[in-house]
Structures are given as C-alpha cells and as structure tokens.
C-alpha cells in the first residue's frame, strides 16, 4: 500500500514540461554534438574492445544464428515465434524449441531482428555483426538492460515487488563491480534488503503484511495490542528474487554464479562501468570521408558538430555525381540505423534542389516519411523551428521514437532522458500509449533504455512495464 494512489503518484511525477518542445530537427542534431570532456579510461584490467566484442558474440551466438535464419525464412512471423516457425528453426539449426524461443527473444531485444508489421527483418546490428565491434557491444548492452525480460520472474510474486528488485539491482551490480571479485550471496542479499527498504521509505510506503491479505482486517482490542510494523524488506520474499535476478544477469553473460557467490564477467564489469560513467563506446574518426561510401561517410561524421559535418558533406558530394549521391544517401536513410537516417537527411539538405524529386517520392515510405516531410517543409521556405508543424501527431511520435533509438544507440543516457522534453504529448502515460500505437520496430529497445536511464523510479517503472507489454504483445 502507498500513502497516495498509484495513478495520482504517476500523474504527479510524469508530467512533461509543458513548454513549446524543441524542433525535432534540433533533437536529432543533439545526437551528433561532440562531448567537451575527454572519454574516461576503463578500469585497469578491462579487456580491449575487440576482446569484449568476442565475448559478446559468444553470448549472442544462438541469437545471431536464429536472426540469420529468420532473415532467410519467408514467414518467421512477428512477436513470439509461432509453433510451426519454431519447429522449422529448431530443425534447421539443430536446437531445441526452447533454445529457439530463448534465442529469438534475445535477438529481438539485442536489435538483431526488427519487427515490421507481421514480418521480421534483420536489424542493422546483424548486418554489421562480423565487422563492427561497437555494434556488437551495443547490442549486448541492450540485452543487458533488458535482463528482466529475458528471465521470467517468479509467478507467485507481485509485479510491484519484482519491479522494486529490478530497481534495486544496480546497487547490487555496483557492489560486485567495486569488489573486483567474487561476492557472497548473503552480502548481496543484505544490500538488496537495505535498498528495497530505502526505496519504500523514499516513497512513504507502509510495509505490506502478507499474512493479513487472506482475511478481513480485525480491529485492535485492549487485549490484543497493535503489532509493530515490520521492516519493508522483511515482508518481501527477497532470497528467491535475488536468485532470480542473479540467474537473469548470468543468462545474459553479465556474471557467473559459483557456490554461494557471484562474480561479474569482464563484459558485466565493463557494462557497469559504462553505466556509471555514462560514456559512448562507439566513435569513429572523420578522416578519409571523401573516399568512403555514404554509410561510412555518415558514420565518420557522426561525432562532428553541425558546421564541420556540413563541410564534410559538401566535400563528399563534390567528389561524385549528384544523382548517384542522392540515391546512395536515401538508401542509407532507408536502413535500420536511426542516427544515420537523420544524418542522411542532413546531408540531403546540403544537396538542396537536385534532391527534391527523390525526397518527395520517398515521403510515401513510412520509415523515412517524417524526415522527408521536414526536409520538404524547409526546402519550401518553412523556418526549421516550425517545420515540425507539418507532421501529424502519429508522425511526430514515430519520429520521437526513431530519434530516441538513435540516442540509445549512439548517445549518452542523460541525453535520452532529456529527449522526453521534445515529445508532443503532455504526460508520460499519454506518450507511452501513443508510442505503443505507432508500432515503431525499435519500441521495446527504446523503452528499456529509457527505463534504465531515467532517475525517477516511478516513471522508470511505468516505462519498464510498457516495454514488457509491447514485448509480450499485451495491451
């Protein structure tokens, strides 16, 4: 029980700032703004990125196999694999049906597979899997953030209690990271109990006594003094939930379990450090962009500020026929990497009038329509700050999710939290409802990343619940 109704609490904590939102083009540009501070070095003993990527590939090996099978299969379906598709995959890959289902879920959560309507398509990470270590690491981090979706929680525990434990797990991971070695389970349990109690104290919650839930509450009498309220953590079945959390984190390769102890893997240790430092693991040099393909050129420009990036676009465009350059940029925009989609249209702004016919034709395609409409509005003379007015509510929401996907893949977590201010909805519940309705293929990954990044526990819980509902196909 709480001191105020849950709906009232969420409404109080989840209002977006009711100010004129930044233009969505500005939100896209914010993704590409370089940091002014140097990137911190990882702790001593952390394996190099190539070795971490090798370990991540090993963890996701079955998921990659299933994703590649789905890319070749004509009808893998969407959401959970249908029984017939699961049987076909099991026979083709020599796996059990349960292994296929688990691998399919991992592939979706790691961004290896994207769902478009009733079909599954390979994600951009799958195409870059063998050559791009940063894409592999980001895919694994996305799975790490979604560990509570990978490993089903005990069915006999209230969802609110499970959410409290998920919220407290970062403290457990921090202890494991600081210990730099095995930690006994009783020490982790003690920390989890303390953190759950702190969370309930922060929310002014009255401890729930499960023994009183089976019958009516009896009024206290003179002969039966009122019992002292138990500590919040004492009324929660934490030992089995700690076991569940540790098993879930072990299932995604973040830690290993021994007899009565747990140890972070090199991947898990690195991921916790990344979360604590809020750094970006992917950065590419802008050198040599003129000779590169559109895809590689845009990746090279991703960490430049808008002015230098435009200079790179002009040099790249000057070195090739404008028609083929426009075609190549639009091909990148139709891909799965949301950051490159936004950058491709920034480069097309440099092209100007010669790009107008192909951009207008591309505006009929759902995945690039919001970007194309903004481009056309600015081409027709609309102020960039007002260009977002040409989008419908659904198109604005789709673009918000796409931009959030770019931030989640390539930006810092603080930027993802600030991105909430650019939503056209007035409250987070309204935003979540409309996000679910637009059906963006990256919806689950975006919601999981936002829940992991947001400091407000109530809001993070609501976002995590929405991610679970979308993941399972619920309302």
């Amino acid at each position: 029980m709480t001191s105020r109704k849950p709906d009232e609490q969420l409404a109080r904590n989840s209002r977006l700032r009711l100010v004129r939102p930044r233009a969505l083009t500005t939100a896209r540009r914010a993704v590409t703004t370089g940091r002014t501070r140097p990137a911190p070095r990882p702790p001593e003993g952390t394996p190099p990125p190539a070795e971490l990527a090798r370990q991540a590939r090993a963890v996701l090996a079955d998921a990659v196999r299933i994703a590649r099978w789905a890319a070749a299969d004509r009808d893998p379906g969407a959401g959970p694999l249908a029984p017939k598709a699961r049987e076909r995959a099991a026979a083709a890959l020599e796996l059990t049906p349960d292994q296929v289902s688990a691998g399919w879920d991992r592939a979706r959560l790691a961004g290896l597979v994207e769902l478009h309507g009733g079909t599954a398509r390979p994600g951009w990470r799958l195409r870059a899997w063998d050559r791009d270590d940063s894409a592999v690491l980001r895919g694994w981090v996305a799975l790490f953030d979604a560990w509570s979706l990978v490993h089903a929680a005990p069915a006999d525990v209230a969802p609110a209690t499970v959410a409290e434990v998920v919220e407290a797990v970062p403290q457990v991971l921090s202890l494991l990271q600081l210990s730099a070695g095995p930690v006994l389970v009783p020490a982790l349990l003690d920390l989890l109990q303390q953190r759950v109690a702190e969370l309930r104290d922060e929310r002014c919650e009255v401890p729930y006594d499960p023994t009183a839930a089976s019958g009516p509450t009896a009024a206290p009498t003179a002969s039966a003094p009122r019992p002292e309220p138990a500590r919040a953590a004492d009324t929660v079945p934490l030992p089995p939930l700690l076991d569940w959390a540790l098993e879930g984190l072990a299932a995604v390769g973040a830690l290993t379990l021994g007899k009565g102890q747990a140890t972070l893997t090199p991947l898990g240790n690195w991921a916790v450090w990344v979360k604590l430092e809020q750094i970006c693991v992917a950065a590419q040099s802008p050198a040599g962009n003129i000779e590169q393909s559109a895809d590689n050129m845009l990746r090279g420009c991703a960490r430049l500020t808008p002015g230098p990036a435009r200079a790179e676009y002009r040099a790249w465009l000057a070195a090739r026929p404008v028609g083929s350059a426009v075609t190549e940029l639009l091909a990148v925009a139709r891909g799965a990497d949301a950051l490159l989609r936004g950058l491709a249209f920034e480069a097309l702004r440099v092209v100007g009038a010669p790009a107008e016919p192909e951009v207008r034709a591309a505006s009929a395609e759902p995945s690039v329509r919001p970007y194309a409409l903004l481009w056309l509005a600015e081409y027709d003379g609309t102020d960039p700050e007002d260009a977002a007015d040409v989008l419908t509510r659904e198109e604005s929401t789709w673009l918000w999710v796409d931009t959030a996907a770019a931030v989640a893949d390539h930006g810092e977590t603080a930027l993802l939290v600030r991105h909430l201010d650019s939503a056209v909805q007035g409250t987070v519940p309204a935003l979540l409802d409309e996000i679910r309705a637009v059906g963006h293929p990256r919806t689950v990954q975006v919601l999981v990343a936002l829940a992991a990044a947001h400091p407000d526990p109530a809001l993070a819980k609501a976002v995590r619940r929405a991610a679970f509902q979308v993941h399972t196909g619920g309302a």
Side-chain angles (χ1 to χ4, degrees), residues 107 169 213 356 429:
V169 159
E356 189 268 341

Side-chain angles (χ1 to χ4, degrees), residues 399-471:
L399 184 55
W400 188 94
V401 179
D402 208 49
T403 305
V407 177
D409 284 342
H410 301 277
E412 297 185 0
T413 55
L415 184 59
L416 183 61
V417 174
R418 293 200 299 272
H419 182 52
L420 276 173
D421 290 343
S422 67
V424 297
Q425 294 77 9
T427 66
V428 169
L431 174 63
L432 295 178
D433 288 341
E434 295 189 31
I435 285 176
R436 287 194 289 260
V438 298
H440 193 287
R442 295 291 304 282
T443 297
V444 172
Q445 290 92 341
V446 164
L447 293 178
V448 167
L450 181 58
H454 207 284
D456 185 309
L459 190 147
K461 183 189 295 186
V463 175
R464 194 179 297 113
R465 186 188 309 118
F468 179 80
Q469 290 170 342
V470 175
H471 175 65

Side-chain angles (χ1 to χ4, degrees), residues 62-71 73 75-82 85-86 89 93 95 97-115 118-122 143 471:
D62 283 351
V64 170
R65 293 179 65 201
I66 292 169
R68 286 174 173 160
W69 168 84
D73 191 271
D75 185 25
L81 279 181
R86 188 164 57 246
L93 302 174
L95 298 172
D98 287 344
Q99 288 174 324
V100 169
S101 295
W104 176 253
D105 280 346
R106 289 174 176 227
R108 292 173 58 199
L109 293 170
L112 300 171
V113 171
E114 295 180 356
L115 305 181
T119 61
R121 300 177 187 172
L143 183 68
H471 175 65

Side-chain angles (χ1 to χ4, degrees), residues 154-284:
D156 57 346
V157 179
T161 303
V162 173
E164 287 176 338
V165 171
V166 172
E167 193 173 333
V169 159
Q171 293 288 101
V172 174
L173 290 170
S174 295
L175 174 60
L176 286 164
Q177 202 252 358
L178 290 171
S179 300
V183 179
L184 295 177
V185 169
L188 299 176
L189 179 60
D190 184 62
L191 177 61
L192 185 65
Q193 289 173 330
Q194 293 179 34
R195 183 57 183 150
V196 170
E198 289 171 359
L199 290 172
R200 291 197 167 188
D201 288 342
E202 290 169 3
R203 296 170 190 166
C204 304
E205 294 189 1
V206 177
Y208 167 66
D209 182 3
T211 62
S214 57
T217 303
T221 64
S223 60
R226 184 185 301 274
E228 291 294 326
R231 288 192 309 142
D234 292 340
T235 64
V236 178
L238 287 182
L241 284 177
L242 176 61
D243 291 342
W244 163 72
L246 295 178
E247 290 167 2
L249 290 163
V252 299
L255 52 80
T256 57
L257 299 177
K259 188 174 181 180
Q261 63 185 25
T263 309
L264 281 178
T265 64
L267 268 177
N269 187 68
W270 168 81
V272 174
W273 172 77
V274 167
K275 295 296 180 182
L276 293 174
E277 294 294 335
Q278 297 186 348
I279 68 167
C280 178
V281 299
Q284 298 193 22

Side-chain angles (χ1 to χ4, degrees), residues 20-103:
R20 179 175 177 82
R22 295 181 299 164
L24 292 170
T25 51
T26 303
R28 292 202 312 276
R29 292 188 186 106
V31 179
T32 66
T33 300
R35 294 188 303 272
T36 58
R37 61 178 177 87
R41 292 183 178 275
E44 185 177 354
T46 301
E51 172 59 20
L52 291 171
R54 185 195 65 77
Q55 296 177 20
R57 286 186 176 98
V59 171
L60 286 163
D62 283 351
V64 170
R65 293 179 65 201
I66 292 169
R68 286 174 173 160
W69 168 84
D73 191 271
R74 292 184 177 181
D75 185 25
L81 279 181
K84 290 184 178 179
R86 188 164 57 246
E87 292 172 4
R88 291 199 307 273
L93 302 174
E94 299 182 349
L95 298 172
T96 67
D98 287 344
Q99 288 174 324
V100 169
S101 295

